[in-house]
Each structure stands twice: as structure tokens, then as C-alpha cells.
């Protein structure tokens, strides 16, 4: 059985919506792209290291659409390594609709999301969940994650979708390594999940 790792960027008030760009998830949210000014070399290295060994992506529909419009078109440069990885590994998409799955290696998960995620976990060693706040709520509620990598950025937005949005079940998280702060004040936290039964 593999591991499900959540990779999450959040503000101090735990908003995780649209960190990457203004067009990412703009409905009712005026702060898209809030993360970019807060990224430095240390955060970039942490993110790159977090993806080492990834052999599958587990994405919500909205994140999948954003990634599918961007990553297949990236070659070399600053994003080259991540693009190569994301384009090569299988992508599993949680959606209630019928998304366009034209990005190579993409598969729609079945209607019983918890069972479908368990099957993905059985097929792969290191499954990464990126963004996907709606999917994240299901994973938290169903206790379907093993590690949470959380980058807390020194900004408060006051509005937006939250990382923890009320559907969680009790769980103990164990700090797996000391917190690391970047020069711009971002704190990287890596937790393992010990779940109550």
C-alpha cells in the first residue's frame, strides 16, 4: 500500500485558494496569485524535494483543469523538472462531471470517491494531492491521507476557501521534521497523520 501526501500552500488564516495566479479560481476571490511574491529559493527547493519520488497525482477537477492547461506546454526553464514529472505520471481526477481528460495519463475516478482513492493508493507508492480544496475536504473526512506538507505564508486574506473547512474528523498529526522558515517568512511544516479510530 502506498502513501497519500497532501501538498498545500496556505495563508496564516488558512486560505488555500488560488495561490498560483489571478485566473486560477477567481469566482468571488480577488486575491489570486497571492503566493508568488512570497516564494524564494528556500521554498522552491522545499517544493522540489517534496515531489521527489512522486508516481501519481490525485487532483480535484478545478486543479486538474488549471494544470492541464499549463503543464503539458512547459519545456525546460524554471518549471522544467516539475513539468517533466507531472506530464509523465498518471493523473487521477475527482469530479462529479465529465471533464476533458486529454492530458496524457489522466483517468476519472469512480463515483465512490473513497474507494477509488483507496484503489489509487494500492496501485502507487507516492501519490501527491496538490491544491484541490474540495477533494481535500473529502480526504480529511475519510481519513485518506498519510502526510501533510503545509507551507504557511505570512499573509492574511480574510476571504477565500480554507484548507480546513469544517468537515474534518479528529486526527493527531506528528511533526516529521523541524519547521523551516524562509527568508520571506514562509514556514514549512511536514506532518504525518496518526488517525483516531
Amino acid at each position: 500500500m502506498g502513501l497519500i501526501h497532501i501538498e498545500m500552500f496556505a495563508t496564516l488564516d488558512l486560505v488555500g485558494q488560488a495561490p498560483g495566479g489571478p485566473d486560477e479560481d477567481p469566482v468571488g476571490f480577488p486575491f489570486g496569485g497571492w503566493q508568488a511574491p512570497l516564494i524564494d529559493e528556500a521554498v522552491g527547493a522545499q517544493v522540489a524535494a517534496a515531489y521527489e519520488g512522486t508516481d501519481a497525482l490525485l487532483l480535484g477537477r478545478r486543479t486538474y483543469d488549471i494544470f492541464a492547461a499549463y503543464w503539458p506546454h512547459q519545456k525546460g526553464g524554471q518549471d522544467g523538472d516539475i513539468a517533466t514529472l507531472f506530464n509523465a505520471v498518471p493523473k487521477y481526477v475527482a469530479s462529479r462531471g465529465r471533464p476533458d481528460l486529454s492530458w496524457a495519463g489522466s483517468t476519472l475516478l469512480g463515483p465512490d470517491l473513497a474507494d477509488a482513492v483507496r484503489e489509487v493508493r494500492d496501485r502507487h507508492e507516492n501519490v501527491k494531492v496538490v491544491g484541490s480544496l474540495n477533494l481535500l475536504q473529502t480526504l480529511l473526512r475519510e481519513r485518506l491521507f498519510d502526510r501533510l506538507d503545509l507551507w504557511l505564508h505570512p499573509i492574511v486574506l480574510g476571504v477565500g476557501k480554507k484548507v480546513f473547512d469544517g468537515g474534518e474528523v479528529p486526527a493527531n498529526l506528528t511533526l516529521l521534521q523541524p519547521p523551516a522558515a524562509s527568508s520571506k517568512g514562509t514556514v514549512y511544516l511536514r506532518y504525518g497523520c496518526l488517525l483516531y479510530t
Side-chain angles (χ1 to χ4, degrees):
M1 181 171 78
L3 301 173
I4 295 177
H5 300 160
I6 296 170
E7 309 299 325
M8 186 58 57
F9 306 109
T11 66
L12 288 178
D13 54 341
L14 293 178
V15 172
Q17 185 171 356
D23 298 327
E24 206 171 284
D25 188 5
V27 177
F29 186 67
F31 301 116
W34 54 264
Q35 181 189 34
L38 303 170
I39 296 290
D40 61 14
E41 192 172 304
V43 171
Q46 292 162 351
V47 172
Y51 286 109
E52 288 178 7
T54 298
D55 62 351
L57 293 175
L58 178 58
L59 305 169
R61 163 74 180 270
R62 196 169 284 140
T63 300
Y64 174 82
D65 288 344
I66 293 164
F67 280 19
Y70 181 78
W71 290 112
H73 311 290
Q74 304 308 306
K75 306 267 190 277
Q78 179 180 345
D79 292 334
D81 290 342
I82 294 288
T84 299
L85 172 67
F86 283 6
N87 289 321
V89 300
K91 278 109 9 215
Y92 297 95
V93 184
S95 176
R96 293 178 191 93
R98 293 251 178 237
D100 171 12
L101 298 178
S102 57
W103 189 12
S106 299
T107 303
L108 182 65
L109 294 175
D112 184 333
L113 185 59
D115 281 348
V117 169
R118 287 183 188 97
E119 288 174 13
V120 169
R121 180 191 251 167
D122 288 342
R123 255 184 254 139
H124 300 281
E125 293 297 316
N126 290 299
V127 180
K128 295 297 189 318
V129 180
V130 187
S132 306
L133 290 171
N134 293 337
L135 171 61
L136 174 64
Q137 303 311 311
T138 301
L139 297 177
L140 295 173
R141 186 174 53 255
E142 297 290 333
R143 303 174 182 197
L144 284 171
F145 72 102
D146 302 287
R147 192 178 81 201
L148 171 64
D149 288 343
L150 181 63
W151 285 266
L152 285 177
H153 297 279
I155 185 171
V156 175
L157 298 179
V159 298
K161 295 177 187 171
K162 303 277 187 170
V163 173
F164 301 105
D165 202 21
E168 308 80 27
V169 296
N172 281 345
L173 300 179
T174 301
L175 192 64
L176 297 177
Q177 62 189 46
S182 76
S183 62
K184 294 188 176 184
T186 297
V187 177
Y188 172 47
L189 301 161
R190 174 171 277 183
Y191 292 108
C193 187
L194 301 174
L195 299 167
Y196 287 115
T197 55

